[in-house]
Amino acid sequence: MVEETKTYRYNESRAKGVDKKGHPQKFQLSGRTVHNPNTTAYVQVLGTGMDTHDTLPSILLFFDKQRFIFNAGEGLQRFCAEHKIKLSKIDHICLSRVCSETAGGLPGLLLTLAGMGNGLSVNIWGPPSLELLINAMKSFIPHGSVVNAKEIGLTTCSSSAALLDTSNSAEPFVVVENELVKISAILLLPSSLEGAGKKPSDISVIYVCELHEILGKFDKEKADALGLKERKKYGLLQKGECVKSDCLDIMVHPSDVMDPPIPGPVVFIVDCPTNSHAKELLSIQTLNGYYPDFVGNSPKSSKAVNCIIHLTPPPVINSPNYEKWMKKFPTVQHIMAGHSMKHVEIPILKSSTRMAARLNYLCPQFFPVPAVGSFQQHNDAAQGSITSSEVLISQLCESTSAENLMKFTLRPHNHLGLDKSNVPSLMAPSEVIDELLSENPEIVDAAQLVSQFWSEPGEMEDTSITDDTTISEKPLLDGNTVPSFLQNIRRDDLEIVLLGTGSSQPSKYRNVSSIYINLFSKGSLLLDCGEGTLAQLKRRYGMEGAENAVRNLRCIWISHIHADHHAGIARILALRRDLLKGVPHERLLVIGPMQLELFLDAYQRLEDLDMQFLDCRSTMDTSWNALECDAESKSESCLQGCSKRMKLSMPVENDSLLRSLRNVLWGAGLEGLISFPVVHCPEAFGVVLKAAERTNAVGEIIQGWKIVYSGDTRPCSEVIEASHGATVLIHEATFEDCMVDEAVEKNHSTTKEAIEVGDSAGAYRVILTHFSQRYPKIPALDEISMKKTCIAFDLMSVNIADLPMLPKILPYLKLLFRTDIAS
């Protein structure tokens, strides 16, 4: 079988089996032996997607000096950071399918590995559609990235549609074979899907991981009886070679002096996405050698499978064909990891969940309890009944539902089997709060004062916290008069949800950039869509609520091409496509820089995203003015007035898309969406959202609210101009004030600079976000005027009716995190 390899900065030393210094790696394949049976080896379920079901879980195959990852869904980096799993030793990533569900976290992971340097190289394995994914990522993955893309089963002289028939060949396709393990791959493509109807994501891969056998114990007494005197012959026999007796005229074979070898453990990783795949699974001849009861297999020839990790969804697992296949392995430990049969009882990101619980205790109005992945589910989930699906499976074979960090130990051999010692334990919400109050007793009074902001908002005096953390009352803050655009505002008019508030890459406490604009019955928008956006929506609104949010999206707006702002978009679009399948609908408008269109166009060759693209330049103020002029019967005076402005923007090549966007905005109660250039990287933008005018209770016309999002930028006149009179300015504040030089170098803003932009523009409220991950919980805050300002946290939800109270909670946030504020 032949593989086609697409290589970027190929690491030749690893390919040739030498170490970093160029010395040959010491291992022996001929005897398939392990000389150190006490080495550590296990397979482990990593919990990406396991509390939110937004991606398939990743599987880690661990050895002391090497790691293999199977699937890299969104959230993998964040999970590894949470649980201290080192990424630096991962040099093989194997995808069971190539789609957003299995590879959504791959772009961010590759960028992180590339940033580590040191000549790291990553081999990515997958079905023949892998090349489509790698080509799509070229638009934002640096040329120096350490990627060796290897497609399984392609012929060298044919197109990607022509596959080798690996399912019925004598041997599986060998992906990796070294001194530790042999990993083979078997392509799974139902015959009913072959031909014109086949999609790249239909091709699945079964991975077979076989550790080499351990030699039996050498019996010196038997060697002496057979006349062996030279000790070096002992070593040759242990290597599997025959030697001549020193005293007798015979040849001594290894089996004459050694106990039988211990077979190496075998693990299957199976992703069978549909019933059609399950039917095909039964006909794969390459698996016959692993079935203990297969006719023609002798007891010595069949390979005993120890563990099967099922990434297959529950409906397929309970299909007759899949049940029939599972019955072929009656004594195997089956781990059901394909979107677990029951709700996972423990949140996948324990650190951020603890932080969310503390924030909720202080101010539940801005920090509601997450609907998924929170401690509040535990009592119900822990007592939940076993589903009929689980009962059915347990009758078939020895099976267990996957849990985060569950292991199946492979080495040492005497520990072979399931290991739940690292599975996180339950923790009740009361334990988190009790811990908080023991550390910081003043939070009790602080929470009571914060709650009074809502009980008597018109009469409450503002309170603040002095340096010695004593709480004192002060006069109301300047600018607390309710502006006209908030008069008679409804709570179902607007909610701003900060889904991700960190920069660069996900961390324990902060996901990367994404803002959800909830317009309730009028739909919703996303401003930026970093990796993990879908999981954050599910944590905030629950499974069903998040699906409704995605189903009702009006458009997605992306500020620039950096992965921390757009790597989650494919997962959102793929889910929306599935949710609206068979329902009349329009393709979703995605607005972004032109480089994003290159990525999306390339990605759509892999799976249809059901979207249409509009360049940010086509939504600048000048383009909207040009469209208005065109609408006014193209009068000569209007066209003359627009001609100068049109030169400053990208020509509107597709007026119909802009008109479609205008209709979408009107349907959402918005007067406009206007992009404007900012100072960060080429083709970087900010955006203005304007609500339509409305009338108050006495019939007066009231100006609609205005939200401005800066994207990533240095402070600049474009942001100030766009933010003039804004209701809310959401501005990046990546660095603390003492790091202004680094902010200038990387075209970001400091906290002070972001606040000053809001002051210069006369914005009513300023929300700071996009904090450097060097500030894990709260950024460093100098003693500067923040009377209009608050800092954002993940899942913070700001209802427009609560804007007057927003800056009042900042002193209490400082108190909550006083031991974490960088100095």
Side-chain angles (χ1 to χ4, degrees):
M1 299 179 186
V2 183
E3 73 193 42
E4 181 174 302
T5 303
K6 300 292 180 182
T7 303
Y8 305 89
R9 205 173 116 189
Y10 187 71
N11 190 316
E12 192 173 0
S13 65
R14 289 198 179 185
K16 291 183 176 179
V18 297
D19 61 23
K20 293 180 180 180
K21 296 181 180 180
H23 303 305
Q25 292 178 340
K26 298 178 180 179
F27 61 88
Q28 175 186 348
L29 293 178
S30 58
R32 300 197 175 200
T33 57
V34 173
H35 297 288
N36 180 10
N38 294 318
T39 185
T40 301
Y42 55 79
V43 284
Q44 184 174 35
V45 178
L46 305 185
T48 53
M50 286 193 64
D51 64 345
T52 55
H53 294 185
D54 57 301
T55 65
L56 281 182
S58 297
I59 308 299
L60 171 68
L61 175 57
F62 176 96
F63 296 95
D64 290 325
K65 296 183 179 180
Q66 196 169 25
R67 316 281 193 271
F68 299 86
I69 288 284
F70 297 86
N71 288 340
E74 289 187 19
L76 176 59
Q77 278 194 94
R78 201 173 181 198
F79 182 89
C80 290
E82 171 85 16
H83 298 286
K84 298 181 174 60
I85 297 171
K86 291 184 178 180
L87 296 172
S88 59
K89 292 185 179 181
I90 296 172
D91 55 7
H92 289 278
I93 299 173
C94 304
L95 302 180
S96 64
R97 280 179 288 135
V98 182
C99 59
S100 61
E101 190 179 18
T102 61
L106 191 58
L109 179 60
L110 292 177
L111 286 169
T112 298
L113 292 173
M116 291 179 179
N118 300 323
L120 288 173
S121 174
V122 181
N123 301 287
I124 304 176
W125 300 85
S129 47
L130 177 63
E131 182 183 355
L132 299 176
L133 176 64
I134 299 300
N135 287 339
M137 293 191 300
K138 285 181 182 178
S139 60
F140 59 91
I141 297 290
H143 294 298
S145 291
V146 286
V147 180
N148 308 327
K150 302 185 177 184
E151 295 183 316
I152 297 167
L154 268 186
T155 62
T156 56
C157 57
S158 61
S159 69
S160 60
L163 302 176
L164 292 176
D165 187 10
T166 58
S167 64
N168 292 308
S169 59
E171 291 292 335
F173 181 88
V174 177
V175 171
V176 175
E177 185 167 18
N178 58 25
E179 82 283 12
L180 299 171
V181 66
K182 176 184 175 181
I183 300 177
S184 305
I186 301 169
L187 289 180
L188 182 60
L189 175 63
S191 55
S192 60
L193 298 179
E194 292 178 355
K198 176 178 68 66
K199 304 188 298 293
S201 57
D202 288 333
I203 307 172
S204 182
V205 180
I206 299 170
Y207 288 101
V208 180
C209 308
E210 302 176 69
L211 276 65
H212 304 310
E213 66 183 16
I214 298 175
L215 287 174
K217 185 178 179 182
F218 184 82
D219 192 328
K220 186 177 180 302
E221 291 183 3
K222 288 183 179 180
D224 291 340
L226 292 172
L228 290 176
K229 302 297 183 183
E230 294 184 27
R231 288 196 169 270
K232 78 174 182 179
K233 292 183 179 180
Y234 293 0
L236 293 174
L237 287 164
Q238 291 179 66
K239 290 180 180 179
E241 299 180 22
C242 299
V243 300
K244 184 172 177 54
S245 172
D246 298 310
C247 302
L248 304 174
D249 188 19
I250 60 172
M251 291 296 294
V252 181
H253 300 274
S255 59
D256 296 331
V257 295
M258 299 184 66
D259 293 339
I262 301 173
V266 178
V267 177
F268 283 7
I269 297 171
V270 181
D271 179 4
C272 191
T274 70
N275 289 329
S276 297
H277 288 81
K279 182 179 180 181
E280 190 72 19
L281 186 61
L282 284 169
S283 66
I284 295 180
Q285 295 180 15
T286 47
L287 293 176
N288 290 346
Y290 298 95
Y291 300 144
D293 298 328
F294 181 74
V295 177
N297 281 352
S298 66
K300 293 184 178 180
S301 65
S302 64
K303 303 174 182 178
V305 179
N306 301 87
C307 175
I308 299 179
I309 300 177
H310 300 267
L311 302 178
T312 302
V316 178
I317 283 178
N318 291 313
S319 67
N321 286 319
Y322 205 85
E323 290 176 17
K324 185 176 180 180
W325 184 75
M326 288 182 66
K327 287 179 181 178
K328 293 177 180 287
F329 303 98
T331 61
V332 170
Q333 176 65 64
H334 294 268
I335 298 177
M336 320 311 294
H339 293 331
S340 182
M341 299 303 191
K342 59 184 178 182
H343 291 298
V344 175
E345 301 165 5
I346 303 171
I348 187 175
L349 302 172
K350 207 165 185 177
S351 297
S352 64
T353 303
R354 292 166 65 91
M355 183 169 167
R358 292 180 173 215
L359 287 165
N360 171 260
Y361 178 84
L362 176 67
C363 182
Q365 293 83 2
F366 286 135
F367 303 101
V369 175
V372 170
S374 69
F375 293 118
Q376 73 164 6
Q377 300 178 67
H378 292 167
N379 291 338
D380 295 335
Q383 299 171 9
S385 60
I386 298 177
T387 67
S388 59
S389 299
E390 290 174 300
V391 171
L392 180 60
I393 291 171
S394 66
Q395 293 172 350
L396 294 173
C397 50
E398 185 177 356
S399 65
T400 184
S401 290
E403 297 178 75
N404 295 328
L405 298 179
M406 177 187 288
K407 291 180 182 179
F408 188 90
T409 302
L410 305 172
R411 298 275 196 246
H413 180 75
N414 58 350
H415 291 157
L416 183 71
L418 206 60
D419 178 4
K420 296 187 178 184
S421 61
N422 290 319
V423 173
S425 58
L426 290 171
M427 178 176 286
S430 57
E431 293 181 58
V432 179
I433 301 307
D434 288 345
E435 182 182 67
L436 168 64
L437 300 184
S438 66
E439 296 172 1
N440 197 343
E442 295 157 279
I443 289 298
V444 176
D445 292 336
Q448 292 176 351
L449 287 170
V450 168
S451 67
Q452 293 178 43
F453 295 155
W454 278 266
S455 60
E456 300 177 23
E459 302 175 11
M460 268 296 298
E461 289 187 333
D462 181 57
T463 57
S464 63
I465 300 175
T466 60
D467 290 338
D468 60 2
T469 69
T470 57
I471 300 174
S472 60
E473 294 185 352
K474 290 189 176 182
L476 283 170
L477 295 171
D478 295 336
N480 263 321
T481 303
V482 177
S484 61
F485 48 74
L486 292 183
Q487 292 178 12
N488 305 119
I489 199 75
R490 294 167 55 97
R491 296 196 68 83
D492 62 353
D493 193 49
L494 167 69
E495 182 181 54
I496 303 169
V497 182
L498 288 302
L499 296 175
T501 58
S503 66
S504 184
Q505 64 189 58
S507 73
K508 289 169 61 175
Y509 298 102
R510 294 185 183 272
N511 204 51
V512 287
S513 297
S514 184
I515 302 169
Y516 177 67
I517 304 297
N518 186 6
L519 302 173
F520 297 93
S521 62
K522 297 187 290 294
S524 58
L525 294 82
L526 279 173
L527 307 181
D528 279 336
C529 192
E531 177 186 338
T533 292
L534 177 56
Q536 293 292 85
L537 275 173
K538 290 191 174 186
R539 292 185 179 102
R540 172 61 181 86
Y541 292 109
M543 304 296 189
E544 184 177 347
E547 289 185 354
N548 287 333
V550 172
R551 189 183 286 111
N552 295 323
L553 278 174
R554 296 287 187 168
C555 69
I556 299 176
W557 182 91
I558 304 296
S559 61
H560 61 292
I561 196 64
H562 289 166
D564 58 326
H565 291 258
H566 75 80
I569 191 170
R571 192 76 197 100
I572 292 285
L573 292 173
L575 176 61
R576 181 182 182 272
R577 173 203 65 209
D578 294 340
L579 291 173
L580 295 177
K581 189 175 294 183
V583 178
H585 66 280
E586 297 292 331
R587 289 182 295 163
L588 189 68
L589 271 168
V590 175
I591 306 162
M594 58 184 178
Q595 303 102 314
L596 181 64
E597 184 177 18
L598 300 176
F599 165 67
L600 293 174
D601 284 346
Y603 191 92
Q604 287 208 109
R605 295 180 60 200
L606 179 63
E607 59 177 332
D608 177 35
L609 296 179
D610 195 27
M611 49 75 62
Q612 47 192 346
F613 185 83
L614 190 59
D615 194 293
C616 278
R617 289 191 175 274
S618 294
T619 61
M620 292 172 64
D621 191 51
T622 46
S623 297
W624 286 111
N625 288 339
L627 191 68
E628 274 187 42
C629 288
D630 183 60
E632 292 177 11
S633 303
K634 299 184 179 179
S635 67
E636 184 177 348
S637 60
C638 180
L639 288 174
Q640 289 175 349
C642 289
S643 61
K644 184 176 180 181
R645 292 192 298 270
M646 286 181 67
K647 293 178 182 178
L648 302 177
S649 72
M650 178 181 177
V652 181
E653 297 177 354
N654 194 341
D655 284 355
S656 63
L657 280 180
L658 197 57
R659 289 192 181 94
S660 295
L661 175 60
R662 181 179 60 187
N663 293 336
V664 165
L665 296 175
W666 287 351
L670 299 177
E671 185 180 280
L673 179 155
I674 303 168
S675 303
F676 57 91
V678 296
V679 180
H680 182 57
C681 65
E683 299 294 314
F685 296 88
V687 68
V688 178
L689 293 177
K690 291 182 178 179
E693 293 179 342
R694 56 191 177 87
T695 56
N696 63 11
V698 296
E700 296 174 335
I701 300 296
I702 298 177
Q703 177 186 359
W705 49 258
K706 174 180 175 181
I707 296 175
V708 180
Y709 171 47
S710 71
D712 286 4
T713 184
R714 287 289 300 149
C716 60
S717 59
E718 289 85 352
V719 178
I720 295 174
E721 182 179 350
S723 305
H724 180 70
T727 311
V728 180
L729 167 60
I730 306 171
H731 201 291
E732 73 119 290
T734 308
F735 294 107
E736 59 184 296
D737 298 334
C738 65
M739 300 184 70
V740 65
D741 290 341
E742 189 168 351
V744 171
E745 178 186 354
K746 297 185 177 180
N747 279 332
H748 284 295
S749 300
T750 66
T751 302
K752 182 178 180 180
E753 288 173 333
I755 294 171
E756 289 174 344
V757 168
D759 288 340
S760 299
Y764 175 63
R765 293 291 182 254
V766 178
I767 300 176
L768 304 181
T769 188
H770 197 265
F771 301 113
S772 169
Q773 303 289 19
R774 61 167 49 88
Y775 318 120
K777 293 183 181 178
I778 190 169
L781 300 169
D782 291 343
E783 292 303 317
I784 52 180
S785 174
M786 302 186 77
K787 62 184 180 181
K788 300 178 178 180
T789 307
C790 193
I791 56 176
F793 294 86
D794 279 18
L795 304 186
M796 182 178 185
S797 303
V798 181
N799 192 286
I800 191 169
D802 296 330
L803 285 179
M805 279 71 81
L806 186 62
K808 296 181 180 183
I809 68 165
L810 182 58
Y812 301 95
L813 292 173
K814 288 183 179 181
L815 174 63
L816 183 65
F817 296 106
R818 62 183 176 185
T819 60
D820 300 295
I821 296 177
S823 58

